């Protein structure tokens, strides 16, 4: 498989009132085309910073970040970003929310993108709700709408910043299945940032474990779990051992920081 995203010796510093903080140190990893990767690490280690750098919202201090072999640019439109909350506008209909990116950017192929939006809404059982307002939808349906809004702009890479954290556990399991199905069906490359090891394992082809700040890649676990959905993959007989492995990598890191 070809590389979709490459971090090559990436460093990132930021300035506080008191000092300069080294957030990322010589960060190296690759996410292949159509691969679903998750990033886990200690709290405050820089997981969301990595997503912001990937999206072109921040500029790395040194090193290279390449998307499909080309440098990331500021506010790179090749990248779609799903945040911790769905950020749907309650005064707009589902259709108006899904087509917001088209409305704002006015692309030359706007009509084609609108048709694509209709196809996605039909494919993922939301077309009957196009005239509804977000407040009338369940949490899971809202997340599907948010994902479709991102996909309509046809990004090469999807960034998911803990998009399920506001959902209750039962809804979260169902939405993980829905989002995973959509991403895989649309053949998209995705990176999920999460604190939930089980979520990372169940959704991913690869888990990237970070050290504490300044973050570097501590460990990478490639996955080949049985099951087509995240929920069914949790039943794989090796799931528990993989969970323990990732957990030990994280807890060892915390123990090391005390010495």
């Amino acid at each position: 498989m070809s590389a979709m995203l490459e971090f090559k010796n990436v460093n990132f510093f930021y300035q506080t009132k008191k000092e300069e903080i080294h957030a990322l140190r010589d960060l190296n990893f690759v996410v292949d085309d159509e691969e679903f990767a998750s990033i886990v690490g200690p709290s405050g280690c820089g997981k969301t910073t990595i997503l912001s750098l990937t999206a072109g919202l921040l500029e790395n201090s040194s090193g290279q970040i390449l998307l499909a072999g080309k440098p990331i640019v500021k506010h790179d439109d090749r990248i779609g970003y799903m945040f911790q909350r769905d950020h749907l506008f309650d005064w707009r209909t589902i259709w108006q929310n899904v087509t917001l990116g088209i409305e704002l950017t006015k692309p030359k192929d706007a009509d084609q993108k609108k048709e694509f939006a209709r196809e996605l809404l039909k494919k993922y059982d939301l077309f009957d709700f196009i005239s509804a307002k977000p407040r009338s939808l369940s949490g899971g349906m809202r997340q599907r709408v948010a994902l479709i809004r991102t996909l309509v702009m046809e990004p090469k890479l999807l960034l998911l910043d803990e998009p399920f954290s506001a959902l209750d556990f039962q809804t979260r399991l169902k939405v993980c299945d829905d989002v995973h199905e959509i991403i895989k069906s649309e053949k998209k490359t995705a990176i999920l940032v999460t604190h939930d090891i089980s979520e990372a394992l169940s959704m991913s082809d690869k888990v990237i474990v970070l050290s504490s700040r300044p973050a570097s890649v501590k460990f990478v676990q490639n996955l080949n779990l049985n099951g087509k959905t995240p929920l069914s993959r949790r039943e794989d007989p090796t799931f528990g051992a993989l969970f323990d492995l990732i957990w030990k990598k994280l807890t060892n890191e915390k123990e090391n920081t005390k010495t």
Side-chain angles (χ1 to χ4, degrees):
M1 273 192 160
S2 59
M4 175 58 72
L5 178 69
E6 296 176 85
F7 267 60
K8 295 184 173 183
N9 298 314
V10 172
N11 285 271
F12 180 71
F13 298 84
Y14 65 91
Q15 189 69 44
T16 68
K17 290 182 178 179
K18 295 183 178 180
E19 60 182 334
E20 184 178 67
I21 303 295
H22 194 178
L24 306 177
R25 173 183 288 160
D26 296 329
L27 193 67
N28 290 279
F29 66 85
V30 174
V31 179
D32 289 328
D33 189 25
E34 296 185 29
E35 189 172 41
F36 195 123
S38 288
I39 297 176
V40 299
S43 294
C45 72
K47 296 184 291 292
T48 297
T49 298
I50 291 170
L51 295 191
S52 296
L53 288 167
T54 303
L57 302 175
L58 296 173
E59 186 175 350
N60 49 304
S61 303
S62 64
Q64 279 187 303
I65 305 173
L66 302 176
L67 182 66
K70 297 180 180 179
I72 297 284
V73 297
K74 189 175 182 180
H75 304 298
D76 202 312
D77 62 8
R78 297 174 295 168
I79 294 168
Y81 206 131
M82 277 188 70
F83 296 92
Q84 291 181 356
R85 298 191 177 274
D86 56 58
H87 292 294
L88 299 180
F89 295 111
D90 280 329
W91 62 89
R92 296 175 69 99
T93 66
I94 298 308
W95 176 253
Q96 290 169 335
N97 271 284
V98 164
T99 57
L100 180 61
I102 302 171
E103 182 182 325
L104 293 174
T105 61
K106 297 179 173 58
K108 292 180 180 179
D109 61 346
D111 289 341
Q112 290 172 273
K113 280 185 167 51
K114 286 180 181 178
E115 184 56 37
F116 183 45
R118 290 187 186 92
E119 291 173 9
L120 289 172
L121 288 166
K122 289 176 182 176
K123 187 174 181 179
Y124 300 110
D125 301 321
L126 288 164
F127 192 75
D128 290 344
F129 301 93
I130 59 172
S131 299
K133 298 291 177 65
R135 60 178 172 270
S136 67
L137 304 185
S138 67
M141 293 172 75
R142 289 176 65 110
Q143 282 293 3
R144 274 189 281 156
V145 171
L147 179 55
I148 289 171
R149 178 183 58 190
T150 304
L151 290 173
V152 161
M153 302 309 292
E154 301 182 89
K156 290 184 177 293
L157 175 67
L158 291 171
L159 305 178
L160 294 82
D161 189 1
E162 298 193 76
F164 317 118
S165 59
L167 304 174
D168 64 79
F169 182 69
Q170 187 173 358
T171 302
R172 189 169 179 156
L173 291 176
K174 177 65 169 68
V175 176
C176 282
D177 277 7
D178 290 344
V179 168
H180 185 269
E181 178 195 356
I182 294 171
I183 289 172
K184 286 299 184 181
S185 179
E186 299 303 320
K187 301 184 184 303
K188 293 296 179 183
T189 309
I191 299 177
L192 169 70
V193 158
T194 179
H195 286 92
D196 189 326
I197 297 173
S198 293
E199 187 173 273
L201 289 170
S202 67
M203 294 194 75
S204 307
D205 304 306
K206 175 164 67 186
V207 176
I208 299 166
V209 181
L210 301 180
S211 69
S212 60
R213 194 175 66 195
S216 59
V217 174
K218 184 178 184 183
F219 180 73
V220 176
Q221 178 65 54
N222 292 303
L223 301 168
N224 189 25
L225 292 166
N226 293 316
K228 292 184 177 180
T229 67
L231 188 57
S232 64
R233 291 178 70 180
R234 289 172 183 256
E235 298 174 3
D236 185 288
T238 65
F239 191 89
L242 286 166
F243 182 99
D244 289 344
L245 176 64
I246 301 299
W247 173 253
K248 285 175 181 176
K249 295 294 181 183
L250 292 174
T251 54
N252 285 345
E253 177 62 25
K254 291 176 183 177
E255 288 167 9
N256 290 340
T257 60
K258 294 176 183 177
T259 59

